[in-house]
Amino acid sequence: MATPSGQLDTIASPAEPQALVRRPTDARDRAMRRHEPTIIGAAAVVLFFVVWQGVGIIRETAPEGLALGPFKFIAPSQLFLPTPLDIARAFQAYVQDGRIWKDVAVSGQELLVGYVSAALLGIVLGLLIGWYARLRYALDPFITFLYATPRIVLLPLFIIWFGIGVESKIAVVFLGAIFAILINTAAGVRNLDVNLIKVARSFGASDLQLFRTIALPGSVPFILTGLRLGIGHALTGVVVGELVAAQFGVGQMMAVAGATFQSSKVFAGLFLIAGTGMLMTFSLQKLEQRFEAWRPRPN
Amino acid sequence: MPTKLEARRVGIHYRRQRSGESLIAVDGVDLRIASGEFVAIVGPSGCGKTTFLNAVDGLLPIASGSLLLDGREITAPGPDRAMVFQQPSLLPWRTVTGNILYGLEMQRRAGTESRSTAKRLVELVGLRGFDDSWPSELSGGMQQRVNLARALATDPELLLLDEPFAALDAQTRETMQQELLRVWNETRKTALFITHDIAEAVYLADRVIVFTARPGRVKLEVAIGLPRPRDLRMKREAGFVEYERTIWETIREEVLRSEASPPAAVA
């Protein structure tokens, strides 16, 4: 890298690659910093459940209420607010009577089929809409109409069309998730760096090459955002769909439990659904990290 | 020396995005670049010098005249030309090697020897050890080195450089000028370099062409008689400063003139 002359060389000549690596710090210190978010987060969750369980303890030990100076704290009844242990027991009963497997299979099928087909069609259509302006002009009114409508209001129609089985819920999940995915993907294509397009053109890239090497990788972050937003919509579709009309499913179980005042069981269903959503989001984050090794990381 | 690029009365129109009216960006440019020559175009900002370069690259159509590369009319981008862009414009999801090979891939010329081509270019532009780095890990000057290597990878007949150092800080810019001369000395590519920095043009080029304010025409041609290889210390010498002053006065005249007149619309 030595240049013939000039004392300015050292200023901008690239350093050895090792210089880019962070200065080594104390290993324990580094491990602590890396796990800090997990440790603090876990501690907060544990604290939350302890306080919650504490309400139950107060309810049992001081049914008349607990005097706190001039105030009196009366614990809510179990029907109103079951404790974490009550919920765990309800969940255990749900597993033991075997209903859970049927419900999870039905809800899982609705979620999986609806979400995966929404993802596939949403990405393909989003790419096309972002790329071809005329197609966008044609489809925009329909997308705007459906996106502005809470898709759940279509459920009565879907029940007429597809019955109260999984098909009507799949339709709701599909319509719920697809727009977030489609709109984000299209935005990704439309926000491509014009400089990169110019580079591709300058090297004589065909439309297909331009699409494959610039448009597709350039929209990956947007596609992943769409997929993440879609998860929430899809879960809403499953649960609300089953609340309205269904024979099986986690949402249907919650509807029945709610109507019969089994609040612990309602909570058990809630945690099951929240857990599914968190698991899906987590998997997507892993996928994101794989796709975006090139992104600059803070520090 | 045979002629590499010839522009005969080249006119280029520019359509304003908002009003849709056509303006004349470049008007009747005559220009001849010999094989192996390093030519720089300077001019006041908005004089159409980048527009002209884009037309030479084949990204923009010309409205009149003719533009010939090795005697053949330029109508589209081709493997005989490669551009070093003002912005590094590296694909952020490709490593240094991946970016350097991008042009070859687009021209379907990438093959088994590509890896060694990339390695050779990485060393040529002084980035040894950074083959597998991501662009986001490089400084601005290093990114421009990759930008240059990417253009050289396709082994073009004519190297086009669009103010490649304009966005760099003053020290890095001077280093890069010197690096460019070193690389050019090894490859001896015919080069057309656009800049608004007069000292940069004089330091790099065999010949400096001054464009008029919009619409761009050739106002002045100055052959730079400074010996090669050149050294940054030359910039302080009397001969160098004299070239700089002549060009500066011509451009200043143009800036004053253009401030007094509106852009010309196409008749």
Side-chain angles (χ1 to χ4, degrees), chain A residues 3 5 14-15 201-202 209 213 294, chain B residues 57 92 102 126 130 136 179 231:
Chain A
T3 46
S5 60
R201 289 279 182 228
S202 172
Q209 284 177 316
T213 60
W294 51 270
Chain B
D57 194 34
Y102 183 71
F130 286 89
S136 60
E179 284 286 277
D231 185 278

Side-chain angles (χ1 to χ4, degrees), chain A residues 1 3-5 8-9 11-15 17 20 195-196 198-203 205 209 213-214 217-218 293-294 296, chain B residues 54 57 59 77 85 87 89-90 92-93 102-103 105-107 126-127 129-130 134 136 142 150 172 174-175 178-179 231:
Chain A
M1 197 185 324
T3 46
S5 60
L8 285 168
D9 289 359
I11 292 170
S13 293
L20 286 175
N195 286 320
L196 297 187
K198 197 176 165 188
V199 169
R201 289 279 182 228
S202 172
F203 283 117
Q209 284 177 316
T213 60
I214 309 280
W294 51 270
Chain B
N54 284 335
D57 194 34
L59 293 171
F85 297 86
Q87 301 300 324
S89 312
L90 304 179
W93 45 82
Y102 183 71
E105 271 177 48
M106 293 304 100
Q107 293 166 6
L127 286 177
F130 286 89
W134 300 106
S136 60
M142 289 157 81
R150 176 176 61 187
T172 310
E174 291 213 310
T175 312
Q178 197 170 28
E179 284 286 277
D231 185 278

Side-chain angles (χ1 to χ4, degrees), chain A residues 142-167:
Chain A
F142 300 98
I143 293 170
T144 312
F145 174 82
L146 281 169
Y147 194 54
T149 314
R151 266 62 44 90
I152 222 75
V153 302
L154 294 169
L155 197 63
L157 265 184
F158 288 157
I159 290 171
I160 295 174
W161 291 344
F162 305 119
I164 61 165
V166 291
E167 293 84 358

Side-chain angles (χ1 to χ4, degrees), chain B residues 19 30 40 61 85 101 134 142 173-175 185 198 201 209 213 231 247 253:
Chain B
S19 59
D30 281 304
F85 297 86
L101 295 178
W134 300 106
M142 289 157 81
R173 189 181 313 155
E174 291 213 310
T175 312
N185 221 30
I198 299 166
I209 290 167
D231 185 278
I247 295 166
E253 211 173 279

Side-chain angles (χ1 to χ4, degrees), chain B residues 7 68 88 95 107 115 119 156 165 228 260:
Chain B
L68 306 168
T95 61
Q107 293 166 6
R115 195 82 206 174
K119 196 140 198 77
F165 310 141
R228 292 188 190 269

Side-chain angles (χ1 to χ4, degrees), chain A residues 279-290:
Chain A
L279 195 71
M280 285 172 77
T281 309
F282 179 75
S283 324
L284 213 58
Q285 272 170 0
K286 286 285 153 214
L287 195 71
E288 224 163 317
Q289 282 166 13
R290 251 187 62 104

